Amino acid sequence: MKSAATDTLESRIGSFQAVLKGRIVLPEDSDYDKERKVYNGMIDKRPRMIVKCADASDVVASVNFGRENNLLIAVRGGGHNGGGLGICDNGLVIDLSEIKFVQVNTADNTVKVGGGNLWREVDQATHPFGLAIPGGIISSTGVGGLTLGGGIGHLARKYGLTIDNLLEAEMVLADGSSVTASEKQNSDLFWAIRGGGGNFGIVTSFKFQAHPVSTVFGGPTLWPIERTEEIMKWYHDFINNAPDELNGFIATLVIPGAPFPEHLHNKHFCGIVWCAVGDMDKAKKAFEPVLAMDPVFHHVGEMPYPAVQTLFDGMLPHGLQWYWRADFFNELGPEVRKQHLKFGTSIPTPLSQMHLYPISGAASRVGPEDTAWAYRDAKYAGVIVGVDPDPANADKITTWCKEYHEALHPYSSGGAYTNFMMEEGQERVQASYRHNYARLARIKRQYDPENLFRVNQNIKPGV
Ligand SMILES: Cc1cc2nc3c(=O)[nH]c(=O)nc-3n(C[C@H](O)[C@H](O)[C@H](O)COP(=O)(O)OP(=O)(O)OC[C@H]3O[C@@H](n4cnc5c(N)ncnc54)[C@H](O)[C@@H]3O)c2cc1C
């Protein structure tokens, strides 16, 4: 027998559906299991309902419904978050995946993007105009979560983080009101959403500054894992003195299979994935010192920007098991390099990897208090991911990832890039926002005093 409270909620869901343009997916629906899936196959949450919002007015109605019915609210953009923060148990998921549009304005090279777009769709729409917005390094991630957490990618050294290119956001707040956040309007809110994640409201539309990026010089270079210490030492000097046009993140990895040549398969490597922009002759020349390091594989050349963004998409389909750990680093000293060699050699499955993304060039010239993103002085955002298709290997990838992280954490800057974290507790969130946490907590109190938006790297409303 159903309780009166459940009956009340059920009848309200009927009236709620009537005011929506989009659809509510309920546990009894045949596509519920498909709709509750997120990118990380380790996440298995069962929401009370998923609202497939058609537009901003559906988002307003969903926020009001969730708040008035005391439902836990999760907001899903691209659904890629490592910790599964785009979904929740028993609550209401506000799904933005149908709020998609990319409008390119060639008069001033600005681009309006829907709150539910994926980066692939943005790159495909801007590329024909010879433009790109700094995103990440893979095309299947959501614009929403990646942007609000900061956004580190191939163009970071030349054009900064994604948030450094954000001009404006249209948002639905916890009280159901709609506002614009920009340098001129609600500037505190605009400061907070540039790094502070989904804590302050739901972004239904982003406006970005795009840049003239069309053909890039990119691809991977590999060295045997035994050379990790030497290559990391060289890389640190090289990348921190390289022109802004050259970006390259360093990794310990295993080559899992195609499209790489067969003789590399299942071997462990220290590698760098490059992306150089600007004059292609200069870009080519910039790789001379790389070749002088005698790599075993160097597959770098001219390609359209969307191609470098999709290089690894095929290797990383939806539904794999992912376990994440992260930290910022200033140095790659001898002990750190030793640990990278040790854990790089013991990578447990072909898709598990460690990446260090440079926070230098333009990304480092924004002040640590100019946006909520506090670690502008860190040299690298590091991330370790244990990845495998088989749930039976979940323990194996988790243990390796945790042990790798524990070995490196004492040498880190303290906090981590929040988009590379799982649910790791309040102390970690505070450490990651550092000196900006108190201001974020004050802005949270102003815009979301009841902490309605708390399925995220949560900033508690300040007292
Ligand atoms: C394969 C892979 C590659 C990645 N590569 C990079 C990379 O190169 N650079 C990088 O910086 N990060 C990268 N990431 C991390 C990525 O930035 C985070 O996973 C991010 O959370 C993904 O955003 P999403 O919208 O897809 O996620 P979701 O799971 O949908 O959301 C994540 C968080 O953002 C909030 N959110 C999402 N959209 C909105 C919105 N419109 N309004 C308000 N809140 C919103 C959600 O509520 C949730 O708290 C990668 C992740 C994966 C899995």
Side-chain angles (χ1 to χ4, degrees), residues 222 254-269 350:
L222 300 175
V254 176
I255 291 299
F260 290 90
E262 212 172 323
H263 70 276
L264 303 174
H265 292 184
N266 296 316
K267 297 204 170 94
H268 294 226
F269 294 96

mmCIF file of all heavy atoms in Angstrom, residues 222 254-269 350:
data_model
loop_
_atom_site.group_PDB
_atom_site.id
_atom_site.type_symbol
_atom_site.label_atom_id
_atom_site.label_comp_id
_atom_site.label_asym_id
_atom_site.label_seq_id
_atom_site.Cartn_x
_atom_site.Cartn_y
_atom_site.Cartn_z
ATOM 1 N N LEU A 222 55.937 9.355 -27.634
ATOM 2 C CA LEU A 222 56.087 8.338 -26.579
ATOM 3 C C LEU A 222 57.543 7.972 -26.348
ATOM 4 O O LEU A 222 58.338 7.904 -27.303
ATOM 5 C CB LEU A 222 55.345 7.056 -26.977
ATOM 6 C CG LEU A 222 53.841 7.130 -27.231
ATOM 7 C CD1 LEU A 222 53.342 5.769 -27.730
ATOM 8 C CD2 LEU A 222 53.083 7.542 -25.978
ATOM 9 N N VAL A 254 49.510 3.211 -20.850
ATOM 10 C CA VAL A 254 49.723 1.981 -21.618
ATOM 11 C C VAL A 254 49.047 2.214 -22.962
ATOM 12 O O VAL A 254 47.990 2.843 -23.015
ATOM 13 C CB VAL A 254 49.058 0.771 -20.905
ATOM 14 C CG1 VAL A 254 49.187 -0.491 -21.737
ATOM 15 C CG2 VAL A 254 49.638 0.569 -19.523
ATOM 16 N N ILE A 255 49.655 1.772 -24.035
ATOM 17 C CA ILE A 255 48.980 1.892 -25.336
ATOM 18 C C ILE A 255 48.039 0.692 -25.469
ATOM 19 O O ILE A 255 48.477 -0.453 -25.550
ATOM 20 C CB ILE A 255 50.011 1.937 -26.487
ATOM 21 C CG1 ILE A 255 50.794 3.256 -26.415
ATOM 22 C CG2 ILE A 255 49.340 1.787 -27.846
ATOM 23 C CD1 ILE A 255 49.970 4.528 -26.554
ATOM 24 N N PRO A 256 46.711 0.951 -25.454
ATOM 25 C CA PRO A 256 45.760 -0.160 -25.375
ATOM 26 C C PRO A 256 45.591 -0.927 -26.680
ATOM 27 O O PRO A 256 45.208 -2.091 -26.652
ATOM 28 C CB PRO A 256 44.450 0.540 -24.989
ATOM 29 C CG PRO A 256 44.610 1.962 -25.388
ATOM 30 C CD PRO A 256 46.071 2.275 -25.436
ATOM 31 N N GLY A 257 45.824 -0.299 -27.825
ATOM 32 C CA GLY A 257 45.583 -0.994 -29.088
ATOM 33 C C GLY A 257 45.439 0.014 -30.200
ATOM 34 O O GLY A 257 46.048 1.085 -30.156
ATOM 35 N N ALA A 258 44.627 -0.319 -31.237
ATOM 36 C CA ALA A 258 44.412 0.600 -32.367
ATOM 37 C C ALA A 258 43.837 1.917 -31.818
ATOM 38 O O ALA A 258 43.166 1.897 -30.779
ATOM 39 C CB ALA A 258 43.442 -0.046 -33.342
ATOM 40 N N PRO A 259 44.137 3.048 -32.437
ATOM 41 C CA PRO A 259 44.791 3.255 -33.727
ATOM 42 C C PRO A 259 46.321 3.268 -33.676
ATOM 43 O O PRO A 259 46.960 3.569 -34.684
ATOM 44 C CB PRO A 259 44.277 4.644 -34.139
ATOM 45 C CG PRO A 259 44.085 5.369 -32.852
ATOM 46 C CD PRO A 259 43.673 4.324 -31.851
ATOM 47 N N PHE A 260 46.918 2.910 -32.551
ATOM 48 C CA PHE A 260 48.387 2.907 -32.473
ATOM 49 C C PHE A 260 48.941 1.645 -33.141
ATOM 50 O O PHE A 260 48.282 0.599 -33.142
ATOM 51 C CB PHE A 260 48.834 2.960 -31.005
ATOM 52 C CG PHE A 260 48.564 4.292 -30.364
ATOM 53 C CD1 PHE A 260 47.369 4.543 -29.711
ATOM 54 C CD2 PHE A 260 49.507 5.311 -30.416
ATOM 55 C CE1 PHE A 260 47.106 5.782 -29.129
ATOM 56 C CE2 PHE A 260 49.257 6.550 -29.843
ATOM 57 C CZ PHE A 260 48.053 6.781 -29.199
ATOM 58 N N PRO A 261 50.204 1.718 -33.682
ATOM 59 C CA PRO A 261 50.776 0.534 -34.331
ATOM 60 C C PRO A 261 50.932 -0.638 -33.360
ATOM 61 O O PRO A 261 51.126 -0.429 -32.148
ATOM 62 C CB PRO A 261 52.152 1.010 -34.802
ATOM 63 C CG PRO A 261 52.263 2.452 -34.492
ATOM 64 C CD PRO A 261 51.068 2.897 -33.735
ATOM 65 N N GLU A 262 50.874 -1.833 -33.903
ATOM 66 C CA GLU A 262 50.806 -3.046 -33.093
ATOM 67 C C GLU A 262 52.010 -3.227 -32.157
ATOM 68 O O GLU A 262 51.859 -3.714 -31.037
ATOM 69 C CB GLU A 262 50.664 -4.247 -34.016
ATOM 70 C CG GLU A 262 49.852 -5.352 -33.358
ATOM 71 C CD GLU A 262 49.540 -6.468 -34.328
ATOM 72 O OE1 GLU A 262 49.284 -6.178 -35.518
ATOM 73 O OE2 GLU A 262 49.579 -7.633 -33.876
ATOM 74 N N HIS A 263 53.212 -2.788 -32.626
ATOM 75 C CA HIS A 263 54.389 -3.042 -31.787
ATOM 76 C C HIS A 263 54.350 -2.251 -30.473
ATOM 77 O O HIS A 263 55.122 -2.517 -29.553
ATOM 78 C CB HIS A 263 55.688 -2.747 -32.564
ATOM 79 C CG HIS A 263 55.923 -1.284 -32.839
ATOM 80 N ND1 HIS A 263 55.359 -0.638 -33.909
ATOM 81 C CD2 HIS A 263 56.650 -0.361 -32.168
ATOM 82 C CE1 HIS A 263 55.753 0.628 -33.900
ATOM 83 N NE2 HIS A 263 56.527 0.822 -32.850
ATOM 84 N N LEU A 264 53.418 -1.291 -30.369
ATOM 85 C CA LEU A 264 53.319 -0.506 -29.124
ATOM 86 C C LEU A 264 52.277 -1.089 -28.155
ATOM 87 O O LEU A 264 52.259 -0.739 -26.970
ATOM 88 C CB LEU A 264 52.926 0.943 -29.440
ATOM 89 C CG LEU A 264 53.834 1.728 -30.395
ATOM 90 C CD1 LEU A 264 53.222 3.088 -30.721
ATOM 91 C CD2 LEU A 264 55.229 1.930 -29.780
ATOM 92 N N HIS A 265 51.422 -1.957 -28.669
ATOM 93 C CA HIS A 265 50.257 -2.397 -27.883
ATOM 94 C C HIS A 265 50.650 -3.035 -26.545
ATOM 95 O O HIS A 265 51.568 -3.850 -26.476
ATOM 96 C CB HIS A 265 49.405 -3.400 -28.676
ATOM 97 C CG HIS A 265 48.730 -2.765 -29.855
ATOM 98 N ND1 HIS A 265 47.855 -3.429 -30.672
ATOM 99 C CD2 HIS A 265 48.800 -1.503 -30.347
ATOM 100 C CE1 HIS A 265 47.429 -2.618 -31.633
ATOM 101 N NE2 HIS A 265 47.989 -1.451 -31.455
ATOM 102 N N ASN A 266 49.911 -2.633 -25.513
ATOM 103 C CA ASN A 266 50.054 -3.175 -24.157
ATOM 104 C C ASN A 266 51.420 -2.900 -23.521
ATOM 105 O O ASN A 266 51.751 -3.510 -22.507
ATOM 106 C CB ASN A 266 49.736 -4.676 -24.122
ATOM 107 C CG ASN A 266 48.282 -4.895 -24.486
ATOM 108 O OD1 ASN A 266 47.415 -4.163 -23.989
ATOM 109 N ND2 ASN A 266 48.010 -5.840 -25.355
ATOM 110 N N LYS A 267 52.197 -1.972 -24.096
ATOM 111 C CA LYS A 267 53.458 -1.576 -23.454
ATOM 112 C C LYS A 267 53.226 -0.284 -22.672
ATOM 113 O O LYS A 267 52.360 0.520 -23.012
ATOM 114 C CB LYS A 267 54.543 -1.370 -24.512
ATOM 115 C CG LYS A 267 54.871 -2.647 -25.292
ATOM 116 C CD LYS A 267 56.287 -2.568 -25.873
ATOM 117 C CE LYS A 267 56.720 -3.900 -26.435
ATOM 118 N NZ LYS A 267 56.462 -4.043 -27.851
ATOM 119 N N HIS A 268 54.062 -0.091 -21.650
ATOM 120 C CA HIS A 268 53.931 1.100 -20.793
ATOM 121 C C HIS A 268 54.848 2.209 -21.320
ATOM 122 O O HIS A 268 55.996 1.944 -21.686
ATOM 123 C CB HIS A 268 54.324 0.765 -19.359
ATOM 124 C CG HIS A 268 53.383 -0.211 -18.707
ATOM 125 N ND1 HIS A 268 52.887 -0.039 -17.438
ATOM 126 C CD2 HIS A 268 52.830 -1.371 -19.154
ATOM 127 C CE1 HIS A 268 52.092 -1.037 -17.131
ATOM 128 N NE2 HIS A 268 52.044 -1.875 -18.163
ATOM 129 N N PHE A 269 54.340 3.462 -21.277
ATOM 130 C CA PHE A 269 55.110 4.587 -21.814
ATOM 131 C C PHE A 269 54.985 5.815 -20.927
ATOM 132 O O PHE A 269 54.035 5.955 -20.142
ATOM 133 C CB PHE A 269 54.584 4.979 -23.208
ATOM 134 C CG PHE A 269 54.801 3.913 -24.246
ATOM 135 C CD1 PHE A 269 53.789 3.006 -24.545
ATOM 136 C CD2 PHE A 269 56.018 3.798 -24.902
ATOM 137 C CE1 PHE A 269 53.989 2.010 -25.487
ATOM 138 C CE2 PHE A 269 56.222 2.805 -25.849
ATOM 139 C CZ PHE A 269 55.216 1.907 -26.139
ATOM 140 N N PRO A 350 44.947 -1.446 -19.387
ATOM 141 C CA PRO A 350 45.430 -0.645 -20.527
ATOM 142 C C PRO A 350 44.894 0.787 -20.607
ATOM 143 O O PRO A 350 45.542 1.633 -21.188
ATOM 144 C CB PRO A 350 44.970 -1.462 -21.733
ATOM 145 C CG PRO A 350 44.815 -2.852 -21.231
ATOM 146 C CD PRO A 350 44.406 -2.746 -19.802
#
